[in-house]
């Protein structure tokens, strides 16, 4: 299944697809008009990935469709590549290995799925199938690599400003792993936990709002575990499963919901609402991000 979006004609530039993104990440073979060189190291791939994403940054429907299809088809292998972290590094004075191991092109792709199609990411992490096994160790991998990065990112109580933006994203993902998806994650080793708590004290003093806020929440999670199950938090967890209410924007029905048979990431209260959302003119139509998964 491919993106149900308009295609270009004649000599117009081709529209990017999820398969182009997969080729860029080395997840599949094949030519792509958006891959025009062989990368000498991971830094060059990161640069080209930023250019690729920038091509459709002002086209939200296209961007949503690309990351939906990518999440459905390639999320498991992307996580595998992130966990393995085997790639060529840029020459000095580039960021050291510890930084690239946690903030690289595979993380960027995972983060894109998480940010734009949380339900696909949630479906993968909650899956019991063998294809999703690496997802069960994501929290531990993030924590171990953050602990490894800690000495490189701060001196005393000062976070290196060159890494604050990426650090805020990484802390946010780890926070979700330890909160919403804690039941699906392996525990973090005690020595790593101790190192992170020291590091997070510095994060809480950062000038970056995301680093500061995520550092505060992570400190609480690593110290006392889950926060209280407030009604807001319970509703958020239900949302990650696509089962908190009807998927048609504007409908607040929360009962008699049935899961979409295509993607299994969203529910509807009636066939009529599902059909309406499929070709919606007032919001991103479901047909642009409905893809079957293997997990």
């Amino acid at each position: 299944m491919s993106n149900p979006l308009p295609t270009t004609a004649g000599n117009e530039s081709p529209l990017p697809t999820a398969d182009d993104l997969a080729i860029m990440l080395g997840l599949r073979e094949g030519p792509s008009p958006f891959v025009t060189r062989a990368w000498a190291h991971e830094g060059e791939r990161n640069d080209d990935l930023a250019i690729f994403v920038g091509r459709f940054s002002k086209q939200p429907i296209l961007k949503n469709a690309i990351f939906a299809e990518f999440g459905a088809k390639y999320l498991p292998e992307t996580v595998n590549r992130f966990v393995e972290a085997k790639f060529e590094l840029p020459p000095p004075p580039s960021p050291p290995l510890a930084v690239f191991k946690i903030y690289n092109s595979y993380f960027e792709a995972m983060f894109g799925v998480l940010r734009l199609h949380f339900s696909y990411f949630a479906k993968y992490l909650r899956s019991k199938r063998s294809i999703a096994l690496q997802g069960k160790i994501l929290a531990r991998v993030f924590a171990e690599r953050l602990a490894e990065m800690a000495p490189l990112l701060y001196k005393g109580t000062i976070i290196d400003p060159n890494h604050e933006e990426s650090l805020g994203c990484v802390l946010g993902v780890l926070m979700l792993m330890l909160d919403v998806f804690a039941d699906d994650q392996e525990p973090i080793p005690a020595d790593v936990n101790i190192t992170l708590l020291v590091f997070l004290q510095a994060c809480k003093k950062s000038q970056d709002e995301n680093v500061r806020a995520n550092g505060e929440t992570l400190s609480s999670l690593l110290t006392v575990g889950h926060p209280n199950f407030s009604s807001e938090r319970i509703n958020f967890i239900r949302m990650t499963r696509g089962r908190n209410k009807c998927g048609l924007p504007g409908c607040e029905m929360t009962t008699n919901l049935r899961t979409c048979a295509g993607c299994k990431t969203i529910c509807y209260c009636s066939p009529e609402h599902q059909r309406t959302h499929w070709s919606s003119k007032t919001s991103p139509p479901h047909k642009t991000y409905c893809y079957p998964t293997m997990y």
Side-chain angles (χ1 to χ4, degrees):
M1 185 180 294
S2 59
N3 292 326
L5 295 166
T7 57
T8 57
N11 58 1
E12 295 182 25
S13 299
L15 290 173
T17 69
D19 290 342
D20 288 318
L21 178 54
I23 292 170
M24 181 164 288
L25 293 174
L27 305 180
R28 65 172 289 165
E29 296 182 354
S32 167
F34 303 98
V35 178
T36 58
R37 61 171 173 164
W39 301 291
H41 51 71
E42 188 66 12
E44 290 184 352
R45 187 207 302 268
N46 284 355
D47 292 342
D48 284 1
L49 179 63
I51 294 172
F52 175 79
V53 174
R55 290 176 182 271
F56 52 89
S57 60
K58 295 182 179 180
Q59 302 179 62
I61 293 180
L62 175 60
K63 188 175 184 178
N64 283 346
I66 289 173
F67 276 98
E69 185 174 7
F70 181 86
K73 294 168 63 175
Y74 299 109
L75 184 58
E77 182 58 25
T78 303
V79 172
N80 293 350
R81 297 292 183 95
F82 175 79
V83 169
E84 294 164 4
K86 296 178 181 178
F87 38 69
E88 295 294 327
L89 295 175
S94 67
L97 174 62
V99 175
F100 264 95
K101 281 172 64 177
I102 197 166
Y103 198 81
N104 51 50
S105 55
Y106 303 111
F107 174 83
E108 290 275 21
M110 288 192 301
F111 190 64
V113 176
L114 178 62
R115 183 176 53 195
L116 295 173
H117 289 284
F118 198 96
S119 56
Y120 279 106
F121 204 88
K123 186 174 186 290
Y124 166 74
L125 290 179
R126 298 188 189 282
S127 172
K128 305 301 182 184
R129 298 185 179 183
S130 59
I131 195 174
L133 285 178
Q134 295 281 46
K136 309 305 179 189
I137 65 171
L138 265 182
R140 176 169 61 79
V141 170
F142 272 116
E144 289 173 346
R145 292 181 185 173
L146 269 174
E148 184 181 354
M149 286 173 62
L152 305 171
L153 296 182
Y154 78 105
K155 298 183 182 299
T157 60
I158 306 299
I159 297 293
D160 184 344
N162 294 319
H163 297 295
E164 282 186 313
E165 182 176 354
S166 56
L167 178 60
C169 296
V170 172
L171 292 178
V173 174
L174 178 57
M175 182 178 66
L176 287 173
M177 298 297 102
L178 297 179
D179 186 4
V180 175
F181 303 113
D183 294 340
D184 305 297
Q185 295 294 302
E186 289 186 5
I188 294 174
D191 60 330
V192 175
N193 196 37
I194 292 172
T195 301
L196 279 184
L197 284 172
V198 174
F199 175 58
L200 291 172
Q201 291 304 311
C203 290
K204 289 190 287 186
K205 300 176 183 179
S206 170
Q207 296 299 308
D208 185 275
E209 183 178 352
N210 284 334
V211 173
R212 190 168 60 250
N214 292 340
E216 183 76 43
T217 302
L218 270 175
S219 291
S220 175
L221 289 171
L222 291 171
T223 302
V224 301
H226 277 312
N228 293 329
F229 276 77
S230 65
S231 58
E232 291 81 5
R233 182 174 181 276
I234 292 172
N235 190 57
F236 181 72
I237 292 175
R238 287 174 178 167
M239 182 188 72
T240 68
R241 302 181 182 184
R243 290 174 169 80
N244 63 325
K245 66 177 183 178
C246 178
L248 178 67
C251 179
E252 301 298 325
M253 288 293 294
T254 60
T255 58
N256 298 322
L257 302 179
R258 294 193 175 185
T259 306
C260 171
C263 61
K264 295 183 171 62
T265 65
I266 190 170
C267 292
Y268 296 98
C269 66
S270 67
E272 291 74 20
H273 277 194
Q274 183 172 12
R275 285 193 291 269
T276 298
H277 195 206
W278 183 257
S279 302
S280 174
K281 302 296 184 181
T282 59
S283 64
H286 184 54
K287 67 181 180 182
T288 64
Y289 57 89
C290 179
Y291 297 95
T293 69
M294 296 296 292
Y295 49 85

